[in-house]
Amino acid sequence: GMVPKGEKVGRKPMRNTGRKAPSSMDGSRHSLSSGTLNLLEEYRSSKDRSWTAADVRGHIVEFCQDQNGSRFIQQRLELANDDEKNLILAEILPAVKSLRNDVFGNYVVQKLFEHSNDDMKTKLKQTLVGEMVELSSQMYGCRVVQKALERMNDEDLIKLLSEFHVPVLACIHDQNGNHVIQKIVEVVSSRSKTYQAEDKGKAVKFSMELRFILDCVLDNIVPLSCHPFGCRVLQRILEHCVESQKSMALDCIQKSLRVLLDDQYGNYVIQHVLQFGRKSDRDVVLNIVAENGILGLSRQKFASNVIEKLLKYGNGDHRNAIVREMLKIVDDKTVETGRCSIVLLMVRDAYANYVVQTTLDVVPEGKDKELLLQELRNNSSKLRNYTFAKHIITKLEEGDVNVNPRVG
């Protein structure tokens, strides 16, 4: 039965882009049978909310393919006893392959993983065997995979993970699959950390389940760090992995820091290194800044963010060292005398001025800070002519050095 004219296929209208909105993101809309449509209509218009899954028996799969119907089944799963859940599962299992990548159906399949007992989970797990990689590349299917990974017991999780061992790099490069790889890093790491308290051996053994991802990532560290999805996987590794694995990743990244510093994606990896890494990692970044010159790096869109993170997560010594770099004198044709301090050039720049603002915020009290303030105050009249320096002047005049943080 076709959807009657004027019948809404319960989906929020897409923003008007001038194109006709497709009936679904991936063409998986099915026209619902007239019996189901009548039942949905009755459900929608009924003021009485005491419906259960038993009231729509025989129509559950089609309910899952409708926005309101899907919400109803999801709500039932949250409230239902095992009998009602089993009734829902029995109808859904034969159709699960089409539902899990359906714009509305996928949410029901996710809910099933969340609210099912061990026996039901086993049945659900069997529908995933041999399908994990394919599902991970699907727009809605990848969400079902992520929910399943969170809810599986260790033994089932390990079995399903083995399906990713060969295609891991392709998954990382995939716009949907990369979210699944990120989730694997998160789930395996958090379970390993939970076990650490009770059983060191078990914790280590379980964390080894991530070796296939780590080996792949560390063998391809620069291309993945510079990749829009690869950089996310690296960020998750630095956030979640157990210490020994995190150290392996940090050692590996340390060798390539310079290349990544001003890359549009790599810079995010370095920002994570500064936040989650060790003092030695911050030392290496500081050395790169000193060797390559703070002025040039601060004027770069991405590298300037990295320097701000070094200031934020570094210690007092790192911060004072940055100030000393800023106070170095360089030749510059744009100033009358032909020479001036780097900081006076930085405050005029669209990006570098933020590095100066952050420095003023975090640098510890002491000689270096005094010299920096003195240099800025002595030149405040010249700075007035520059758009970006104005923030800094205002602050110095107020005698309040806490400058507005950068937006974004």
Side-chain angles (χ1 to χ4, degrees):
M2 287 301 292
V3 179
K5 220 178 164 63
E7 176 76 34
K8 284 202 186 68
V9 183
R11 192 166 165 259
K12 277 206 218 81
M14 285 171 67
R15 261 199 225 106
N16 185 5
T17 51
R19 292 196 303 265
K20 258 186 72 179
S23 54
S24 149
M25 292 300 211
D26 60 354
S28 66
R29 288 299 315 137
H30 311 280
S31 48
L32 304 180
S33 67
S34 54
T36 299
L37 286 169
N38 294 338
L39 201 53
L40 271 168
E41 206 38 63
E42 199 184 323
Y43 166 70
R44 275 185 215 146
S45 56
S46 95
K47 294 287 168 273
D48 162 31
R49 286 294 175 195
S50 64
W51 288 50
T52 73
D55 296 308
V56 299
R57 192 191 296 256
H59 298 270
I60 289 174
V61 171
E62 288 197 306
F63 257 58
C64 294
Q65 291 161 353
D66 171 87
Q67 189 167 26
N68 295 293
S70 167
R71 285 218 184 105
F72 166 66
I73 304 292
Q74 289 172 61
Q75 283 158 359
R76 289 315 306 161
L77 284 169
E78 287 173 10
L79 306 167
N81 59 21
D82 277 1
D83 286 344
E84 189 180 348
K85 284 180 189 169
N86 278 318
L87 179 129
I88 295 173
L89 185 66
E91 286 196 32
I92 284 180
L93 274 177
V96 75
K97 289 192 177 169
S98 63
L99 286 181
R100 62 196 181 188
N101 198 39
D102 178 85
V103 57
F104 304 124
N106 79 87
Y107 293 109
V108 175
V109 183
Q110 287 184 58
K111 268 282 186 285
L112 273 169
F113 276 103
E114 256 174 82
H115 297 281
S116 56
N117 57 35
D118 291 346
D119 183 41
M120 293 165 70
K121 266 207 192 91
T122 302
K123 288 179 182 158
L124 283 165
K125 183 216 121 183
Q126 278 153 0
T127 67
L128 297 173
V129 173
E131 311 263 345
M132 291 294 278
V133 175
E134 168 68 26
L135 253 184
S136 296
S137 70
Q138 296 173 358
M139 183 169 182
Y140 304 114
C142 77
R143 300 177 192 178
V144 171
V145 171
Q146 289 172 71
K147 185 63 72 182
L149 292 168
E150 284 173 358
R151 302 286 168 163
M152 286 289 156
N153 65 40
D154 287 357
E155 198 184 334
D156 287 342
L157 180 68
I158 290 170
K159 281 199 186 104
L160 290 174
L161 287 187
S162 67
E163 297 186 18
F164 293 101
H165 285 193
V166 175
V168 59
L169 191 58
C171 286
I172 293 175
H173 284 137
D174 182 81
Q175 59 173 342
N176 299 313
N178 81 86
H179 292 287
V180 172
I181 302 297
Q182 290 179 63
K183 180 61 74 178
I184 295 171
V185 170
E186 201 180 308
V187 169
V188 174
S189 299
S190 81
R191 289 192 195 183
S192 303
K193 287 174 182 172
T194 312
Y195 301 146
Q196 241 150 5
E198 51 199 56
D199 181 347
K200 277 282 197 297
K202 183 181 181 184
V204 171
K205 188 168 181 283
F206 196 70
S207 68
M208 290 304 281
E209 294 302 327
L210 282 184
R211 271 307 290 268
F212 77 98
I213 294 179
L214 278 160
D215 289 347
C216 168
V217 168
L218 302 188
D219 283 346
N220 298 282
I221 200 94
V222 172
L224 284 179
S225 296
C226 298
H227 186 275
F229 309 143
C231 75
R232 295 178 192 165
V233 173
L234 266 146
Q235 288 172 59
R236 296 301 87 76
I237 288 171
L238 295 172
E239 280 168 25
H240 299 291
C241 277
V242 296
E243 285 304 319
S244 57
Q245 292 177 334
K246 191 167 95 171
S247 296
M248 278 170 57
L250 287 165
D251 289 344
C252 196
I253 297 167
Q254 215 178 75
K255 302 186 182 94
S256 310
L257 280 173
R258 176 68 192 98
V259 207
L260 303 179
L261 206 67
D262 195 50
D263 180 80
Q264 59 174 332
Y265 301 113
N267 81 91
Y268 293 112
V269 175
I270 306 307
Q271 289 186 48
H272 259 61
V273 166
L274 292 169
Q275 182 173 353
F276 297 97
R278 309 154 297 197
K279 180 184 173 289
S280 67
D281 298 300
R282 297 182 190 106
D283 292 343
V284 174
V285 175
L286 179 63
N287 289 338
I288 289 173
V289 171
E291 281 165 26
N292 291 272
I294 192 166
L295 181 59
L297 290 174
S298 298
R299 284 172 169 166
Q300 292 176 330
K301 180 177 182 178
F302 303 112
S304 65
N305 280 312
V306 173
I307 299 175
E308 283 188 70
K309 279 292 191 314
L310 173 59
L311 285 160
K312 183 173 178 185
Y313 296 108
N315 58 27
D317 293 340
H318 293 127
R319 292 164 178 173
N320 284 327
I322 294 271
V323 173
R324 289 194 294 274
E325 290 300 316
M326 288 180 177
L327 290 172
K328 288 184 174 166
I329 305 292
V330 288
D331 294 327
D332 190 272
K333 295 188 180 63
T334 65
V335 290
E336 292 159 44
T337 54
R339 290 175 71 69
C340 78
S341 65
I342 286 177
V343 70
L344 295 181
L345 299 173
M346 286 174 71
V347 291
R348 310 178 192 176
D349 181 80
Y351 298 118
N353 87 87
Y354 287 114
V355 176
V356 180
Q357 290 188 42
T358 301
T359 305
L360 291 171
D361 279 346
V362 301
V363 70
E365 295 303 327
K367 178 176 62 92
D368 292 309
K369 181 176 183 173
E370 278 316 305
L371 289 169
L372 177 63
L373 289 173
Q374 200 183 323
E375 176 69 0
L376 290 168
R377 288 196 178 112
N378 291 348
N379 291 279
S380 62
S381 55
K382 290 182 201 144
L383 296 183
R384 283 176 201 290
N385 313 329
Y386 298 105
T387 317
F388 300 110
K390 285 179 184 150
H391 309 296
I392 290 171
I393 297 304
T394 320
K395 288 296 168 189
L396 292 172
E397 283 173 354
E398 290 165 0
D400 157 26
V401 179
N402 280 336
V403 180
N404 294 332
R406 178 177 198 161
V407 181

